[in-house]
Coordinates of all heavy atoms in Angstrom, one line a residue:
Chain H
T73 N -7.4 25.6 -10.7 CA -7.5 24.6 -9.7 C -6.3 23.8 -9.6 O -5.8 23.4 -8.5 CB -8.8 23.7 -9.9 OG1 -9.9 24.6 -9.8 CG2 -8.9 22.7 -8.8
Q74 N -5.7 23.4 -10.7 CA -4.4 22.7 -10.7 C -3.3 23.4 -10.0 O -2.5 22.9 -9.3 CB -4.0 22.3 -12.1 CG -4.9 21.4 -12.8 CD -5.0 20.0 -12.2 OE1 -4.1 19.6 -11.4 NE2 -6.0 19.2 -12.5
L75 N -3.3 24.7 -10.2 CA -2.2 25.6 -9.6 C -2.4 25.6 -8.1 O -1.4 25.5 -7.3 CB -2.4 27.0 -10.1 CG -1.2 27.9 -9.8 CD1 0.1 27.4 -10.5 CD2 -1.5 29.4 -10.3
I76 N -3.7 25.6 -7.6 CA -4.0 25.6 -6.2 C -3.6 24.2 -5.6 O -3.0 24.1 -4.5 CB -5.4 25.9 -6.0 CG1 -5.6 27.4 -6.2 CG2 -5.9 25.5 -4.6 CD1 -6.7 28.1 -5.4
R77 N -4.0 23.1 -6.3 CA -3.7 21.8 -5.8 C -2.1 21.6 -5.7 O -1.7 20.9 -4.7 CB -4.3 20.7 -6.8 CG -5.8 20.7 -6.7 CD -6.3 19.6 -7.6 NE -5.9 18.3 -7.2 CZ -6.4 17.6 -6.2 NH1 -7.4 18.1 -5.5 NH2 -5.9 16.4 -6.0
L78 N -1.4 22.2 -6.6 CA 0.1 22.2 -6.4 C 0.5 22.9 -5.2 O 1.3 22.4 -4.4 CB 0.7 22.9 -7.6 CG 1.1 22.1 -8.8 CD1 1.7 23.1 -9.9 CD2 2.1 21.0 -8.5
G79 N -0.2 24.0 -4.9 CA 0.1 24.9 -3.8 C -0.2 24.1 -2.5 O 0.5 24.4 -1.4
L80 N -1.1 23.2 -2.5 CA -1.5 22.5 -1.3 C -0.8 21.1 -1.2 O -1.0 20.4 -0.2 CB -3.0 22.2 -1.3 CG -3.9 23.5 -1.1 CD1 -5.3 23.2 -1.4 CD2 -3.7 24.0 0.4
G81 N 0.1 20.8 -2.2 CA 0.8 19.6 -2.2 C 0.0 18.4 -2.5 O 0.4 17.2 -2.2
F82 N -1.2 18.6 -3.2 CA -2.0 17.4 -3.6 C -1.5 16.8 -4.9 O -1.8 15.7 -5.2 CB -3.5 17.8 -3.8 CG -4.2 18.1 -2.5 CD1 -5.2 19.1 -2.4 CD2 -3.8 17.5 -1.3 CE1 -5.8 19.4 -1.2 CE2 -4.5 17.8 -0.1 CZ -5.5 18.7 -0.1
S83 N -0.7 17.6 -5.6 CA 0.0 17.1 -6.8 C 1.4 17.6 -6.8 O 1.7 18.6 -6.1 CB -0.8 17.4 -8.1 OG -1.1 18.8 -8.1
R84 N 2.3 17.0 -7.6 CA 3.7 17.3 -7.6 C 4.0 17.9 -9.0 O 3.6 17.3 -10.0 CB 4.6 16.1 -7.4 CG 4.4 15.6 -5.9 CD 5.4 16.3 -5.0 NE 5.1 16.0 -3.6 CZ 5.6 16.6 -2.6 NH1 6.5 17.6 -2.8 NH2 5.3 16.3 -1.4
A85 N 4.8 19.0 -9.0 CA 5.2 19.6 -10.3 C 6.2 18.7 -11.0 O 7.1 18.2 -10.3 CB 5.7 21.0 -10.0
A86 N 6.0 18.6 -12.3 CA 7.0 17.8 -13.1 C 8.4 18.6 -13.1 O 9.4 18.0 -13.0 CB 6.5 17.6 -14.5
V87 N 8.2 19.9 -13.2 CA 9.4 20.8 -13.2 C 9.1 22.0 -12.2 O 8.0 22.4 -12.0 CB 9.6 21.4 -14.6 CG1 10.8 22.3 -14.6 CG2 9.8 20.3 -15.6
G88 N 10.2 22.5 -11.6 CA 10.0 23.6 -10.6 C 9.6 23.1 -9.3 O 9.5 21.9 -9.0
Q89 N 9.4 24.1 -8.4 CA 9.0 23.7 -7.0 C 8.0 24.7 -6.4 O 7.9 25.8 -6.9 CB 10.2 23.5 -6.1 CG 11.0 24.7 -5.9 CD 12.1 24.4 -4.8 OE1 12.0 23.5 -4.0 NE2 13.1 25.3 -4.7
V90 N 7.3 24.2 -5.4 CA 6.3 25.1 -4.7 C 6.7 25.2 -3.3 O 7.1 24.2 -2.6 CB 4.9 24.4 -4.8 CG1 3.8 25.3 -4.2 CG2 4.6 24.1 -6.3
R91 N 6.6 26.4 -2.7 CA 6.9 26.6 -1.3 C 5.7 27.2 -0.6 O 5.1 28.2 -1.1 CB 8.1 27.5 -1.1 CG 9.3 27.3 -2.0 CD 9.9 25.9 -1.8 NE 10.6 25.7 -0.5 CZ 10.9 24.5 -0.1 NH1 10.7 23.4 -0.8 NH2 11.6 24.4 1.1
L92 N 5.3 26.6 0.5 CA 4.2 27.1 1.3 C 4.8 27.5 2.6 O 5.2 26.6 3.3 CB 3.1 26.1 1.4 CG 1.8 26.4 2.1 CD1 1.1 27.5 1.4 CD2 0.9 25.2 2.2
F93 N 4.7 28.8 3.0 CA 5.4 29.3 4.2 C 6.9 28.8 4.2 O 7.4 28.4 5.2 CB 4.7 28.8 5.4 CG 3.3 29.3 5.5 CD1 2.2 28.4 5.3 CD2 3.0 30.6 5.8 CE1 0.9 28.9 5.3 CE2 1.7 31.1 5.8 CZ 0.6 30.2 5.6
G94 N 7.5 28.9 3.0 CA 8.9 28.6 2.8 C 9.3 27.1 2.9 O 10.4 26.8 2.9
Q95 N 8.2 26.2 2.9 CA 8.5 24.8 3.0 C 7.7 24.0 2.0 O 6.9 24.5 1.3 CB 8.2 24.3 4.4 CG 9.1 24.9 5.5 CD 8.8 24.2 6.9 OE1 8.8 23.0 7.0 NE2 8.5 25.0 7.9
D96 N 8.0 22.7 2.0 CA 7.2 21.7 1.1 C 5.8 21.9 1.6 O 5.5 21.7 2.8 CB 7.8 20.3 1.4 CG 7.0 19.3 0.6 OD1 5.9 19.6 0.1 OD2 7.6 18.2 0.4
P97 N 4.8 22.0 0.7 CA 3.4 22.2 1.1 C 2.9 21.1 1.9 O 2.0 21.3 2.8 CB 2.7 22.3 -0.3 CG 3.7 22.8 -1.2 CD 5.0 22.2 -0.8
A98 N 3.4 19.9 1.7 CA 2.8 18.7 2.5 C 3.1 18.9 4.0 O 2.4 18.4 4.8 CB 3.4 17.4 2.0
K99 N 4.2 19.7 4.3 CA 4.5 19.9 5.7 C 3.8 21.1 6.3 O 3.7 21.1 7.6 CB 6.0 20.1 5.8 CG 6.9 18.9 5.5 CD 8.3 19.2 5.6 CE 9.1 18.0 5.3 NZ 10.5 18.3 5.0
T100 N 3.3 22.0 5.5 CA 2.7 23.2 6.1 C 1.3 23.4 5.7 O 0.7 24.4 6.1 CB 3.6 24.4 5.6 OG1 3.8 24.3 4.2 CG2 4.9 24.5 6.3
R101 N 0.7 22.5 5.0 CA -0.7 22.8 4.5 C -1.7 22.8 5.6 O -2.8 23.2 5.4 CB -1.1 21.8 3.4 CG -1.0 20.3 3.8 CD -1.2 19.4 2.6 NE -1.1 18.0 2.9 CZ -0.8 17.1 2.1 NH1 -0.7 17.4 0.8 NH2 -0.7 15.8 2.4
H102 N -1.3 22.2 6.8 CA -2.3 22.3 7.9 C -2.5 23.7 8.4 O -3.4 24.0 9.2 CB -1.8 21.4 9.1 CG -0.5 21.9 9.7 ND1 0.8 21.6 9.1 CD2 -0.2 22.7 10.7 CE1 1.7 22.1 9.8 NE2 1.2 22.8 10.8
L103 N -1.7 24.7 7.9 CA -1.9 26.1 8.3 C -2.9 26.8 7.4 O -3.2 27.9 7.5 CB -0.5 26.8 8.2 CG 0.6 26.2 9.1 CD1 1.9 26.9 8.8 CD2 0.2 26.5 10.6
I104 N -3.4 26.0 6.4 CA -4.3 26.6 5.4 C -5.7 26.3 5.7 O -6.1 25.1 6.0 CB -3.9 26.0 4.0 CG1 -2.5 26.3 3.6 CG2 -4.9 26.6 2.9 CD1 -2.2 27.8 3.4
G105 N -6.6 27.3 5.5 CA -8.0 27.0 5.5 C -8.4 26.9 4.1 O -8.3 27.9 3.3
Y106 N -8.9 25.8 3.6 CA -9.1 25.6 2.2 C -10.6 25.3 1.9 O -11.2 24.4 2.6 CB -8.2 24.4 1.7 CG -8.5 23.9 0.3 CD1 -8.5 24.8 -0.8 CD2 -8.7 22.6 0.0 CE1 -8.7 24.4 -2.1 CE2 -8.9 22.1 -1.3 CZ -8.9 23.0 -2.3 OH -9.1 22.6 -3.6
V107 N -11.2 26.0 1.0 CA -12.5 25.6 0.5 C -12.5 25.2 -0.9 O -12.2 26.0 -1.8 CB -13.5 26.9 0.6 CG1 -14.9 26.5 0.1 CG2 -13.5 27.4 2.1
P108 N -12.6 23.9 -1.2 CA -12.5 23.4 -2.5 C -13.8 23.7 -3.4 O -14.8 24.0 -2.8 CB -12.4 21.9 -2.4 CG -13.1 21.6 -1.1 CD -12.9 22.8 -0.2
Q109 N -13.6 23.7 -4.7 CA -14.7 24.0 -5.5 C -15.7 22.8 -5.5 O -16.9 22.9 -5.3 CB -14.2 24.2 -7.0 CG -15.3 24.6 -7.9 CD -14.8 24.7 -9.4 OE1 -13.7 24.3 -9.7 NE2 -15.6 25.3 -10.2
Q110 N -15.1 21.6 -5.7 CA -15.9 20.4 -5.7 C -15.7 19.7 -4.3 O -14.6 19.5 -3.9 CB -15.4 19.3 -6.7 CG -15.4 19.8 -8.1 CD -16.8 20.0 -8.7 OE1 -17.7 19.4 -8.3 NE2 -16.9 20.8 -9.8
K111 N -16.9 19.5 -3.6 CA -16.8 18.9 -2.3 C -16.9 17.4 -2.4 O -18.0 16.9 -2.4 CB -17.9 19.5 -1.3 CG -17.6 20.8 -0.7 CD -17.8 21.9 -1.7 CE -17.5 23.3 -1.1 NZ -17.5 24.3 -2.1
A112 N -15.7 16.8 -2.5 CA -15.7 15.3 -2.9 C -15.7 14.5 -1.6 O -14.9 13.6 -1.5 CB -14.5 15.0 -3.7
F113 N -16.7 14.7 -0.7 CA -16.7 13.9 0.5 C -17.6 12.6 0.3 O -18.4 12.6 -0.7 CB -17.2 14.7 1.7 CG -18.6 15.2 1.6 CD1 -19.7 14.5 2.0 CD2 -18.8 16.5 1.0 CE1 -21.0 15.0 1.8 CE2 -20.1 17.0 0.9 CZ -21.1 16.3 1.3
N114 N -17.4 11.7 1.2 CA -18.2 10.4 1.1 C -19.6 10.6 1.7 O -19.7 10.8 2.9 CB -17.4 9.4 1.9 CG -18.0 8.0 1.9 OD1 -19.2 7.9 1.5 ND2 -17.3 7.1 2.4
R115 N -20.6 10.6 0.8 CA -21.9 10.9 1.3 C -22.6 9.7 2.1 O -23.6 9.9 2.7 CB -22.8 11.2 0.1 CG -22.5 12.5 -0.5 CD -23.3 12.9 -1.7 NE -22.8 14.2 -2.2 CZ -23.2 15.4 -1.7 NH1 -24.1 15.5 -0.8 NH2 -22.7 16.5 -2.2
N116 N -22.0 8.6 2.1 CA -22.5 7.5 2.9 C -22.0 7.5 4.4 O -22.4 6.7 5.2 CB -22.1 6.1 2.3 CG -22.7 5.9 0.9 OD1 -23.8 6.2 0.7 ND2 -21.9 5.4 0.0
F117 N -21.1 8.4 4.6 CA -20.4 8.4 5.9 C -21.4 9.1 7.0 O -22.0 10.1 6.6 CB -19.2 9.2 5.8 CG -18.2 9.0 6.9 CD1 -17.3 8.0 6.9 CD2 -18.2 9.8 8.0 CE1 -16.4 7.8 7.9 CE2 -17.3 9.7 9.1 CZ -16.4 8.6 9.0
P118 N -21.4 8.5 8.2 CA -22.3 9.2 9.2 C -21.7 10.4 9.7 O -20.8 10.4 10.6 CB -22.4 8.1 10.3 CG -21.1 7.3 10.1 CD -20.8 7.3 8.7
A119 N -22.1 11.6 9.2 CA -21.4 12.8 9.5 C -22.4 14.0 9.6 O -23.3 14.2 8.7 CB -20.4 13.2 8.5
T120 N -22.3 14.8 10.7 CA -23.1 16.0 10.8 C -22.1 17.2 10.5 O -20.9 17.0 10.5 CB -23.7 16.2 12.1 OG1 -22.7 16.3 13.1 CG2 -24.6 15.0 12.5
V121 N -22.7 18.4 10.3 CA -21.9 19.6 10.2 C -21.0 19.8 11.4 O -19.8 20.1 11.2 CB -22.9 20.8 9.9 CG1 -22.1 22.1 10.0 CG2 -23.6 20.6 8.6
E122 N -21.6 19.5 12.5 CA -20.8 19.7 13.8 C -19.5 18.8 13.7 O -18.4 19.2 14.1 CB -21.6 19.4 15.0 CG -20.9 19.6 16.3 CD -21.8 19.3 17.5 OE1 -22.1 18.1 17.7 OE2 -22.2 20.3 18.2
D123 N -19.7 17.5 13.3 CA -18.6 16.6 13.2 C -17.5 17.1 12.3 O -16.3 17.0 12.7 CB -19.1 15.2 12.7 CG -20.0 14.5 13.6 OD1 -19.9 14.7 14.9 OD2 -20.9 13.7 13.2
L124 N -17.9 17.6 11.1 CA -16.9 18.1 10.2 C -16.1 19.3 10.8 O -14.9 19.3 10.6 CB -17.7 18.6 8.9 CG -16.8 19.2 7.9 CD1 -15.9 18.2 7.2 CD2 -17.6 20.0 6.8
L125 N -16.8 20.2 11.4 CA -16.1 21.3 12.0 C -15.1 20.9 13.1 O -14.0 21.4 13.2 CB -17.1 22.4 12.5 CG -18.0 23.0 11.4 CD1 -18.9 24.0 12.0 CD2 -17.2 23.6 10.3
I126 N -15.6 20.0 14.0 CA -14.8 19.5 15.1 C -13.6 18.7 14.6 O -12.5 18.7 15.1 CB -15.6 18.8 16.1 CG1 -16.6 19.8 16.8 CG2 -14.8 18.2 17.2 CD1 -17.6 19.3 17.7
A127 N -13.9 17.9 13.5 CA -12.7 17.2 12.9 C -11.6 18.1 12.4 O -10.4 17.8 12.6 CB -13.3 16.4 11.7
A128 N -12.0 19.3 11.9 CA -11.0 20.3 11.5 C -10.2 20.8 12.7 O -9.0 21.1 12.6 CB -11.7 21.4 10.7
L129 N -11.0 21.0 13.8 CA -10.3 21.4 15.0 C -9.3 20.4 15.6 O -8.2 20.7 16.0 CB -11.4 21.7 16.1 CG -12.0 23.1 16.3 CD1 -13.0 23.0 17.4 CD2 -10.9 24.1 16.6
R130 N -9.8 19.2 15.7 CA -9.0 18.1 16.3 C -8.0 17.5 15.4 O -7.0 16.9 15.9 CB -10.0 17.0 16.8 CG -10.7 17.2 18.0 CD -11.4 15.9 18.4 NE -12.5 16.1 19.3 CZ -13.3 15.2 19.8 NH1 -13.0 13.9 19.4 NH2 -14.3 15.5 20.6
G131 N -8.2 17.5 14.1 CA -7.3 16.8 13.2 C -7.7 15.3 13.1 O -6.9 14.5 12.6
C132 N -8.8 14.9 13.7 CA -9.3 13.5 13.5 C -10.8 13.6 13.7 O -11.3 14.6 14.2 CB -8.6 12.6 14.5 SG -9.0 13.0 16.2
W133 N -11.4 12.5 13.3 CA -12.9 12.5 13.4 C -13.4 12.3 14.8 O -12.9 11.4 15.5 CB -13.5 11.3 12.5 CG -14.9 11.6 12.2 CD1 -16.0 11.1 12.8 CD2 -15.4 12.5 11.2 NE1 -17.1 11.6 12.2 CE2 -16.8 12.5 11.2 CE3 -14.8 13.3 10.2 CZ2 -17.6 13.2 10.4 CZ3 -15.6 14.1 9.4 CH2 -16.9 14.0 9.5

Side-chain angles (χ1 to χ4, degrees):
Chain H
T73 298
Q74 293 297 342
L75 195 62
I76 288 210
R77 291 181 61 79
L78 270 178
L80 290 167
F82 290 149
S83 48
R84 293 272 168 192
V87 178
Q89 62 172 344
V90 182
R91 313 303 287 169
L92 183 62
F93 298 106
Q95 295 187 51
D96 181 342
K99 290 179 182 165
T100 47
R101 61 189 173 199
H102 62 279
L103 301 170
I104 301 292
Y106 173 52
V107 178
Q109 184 185 13
Q110 306 287 340
K111 279 80 179 165
F113 61 89
N114 178 350
R115 289 181 181 274
N116 297 318
F117 198 87
T120 65
V121 170
E122 184 180 68
D123 290 333
L124 175 70
L125 298 182
I126 293 174
L129 264 181
R130 282 192 199 175
C132 64
W133 200 260

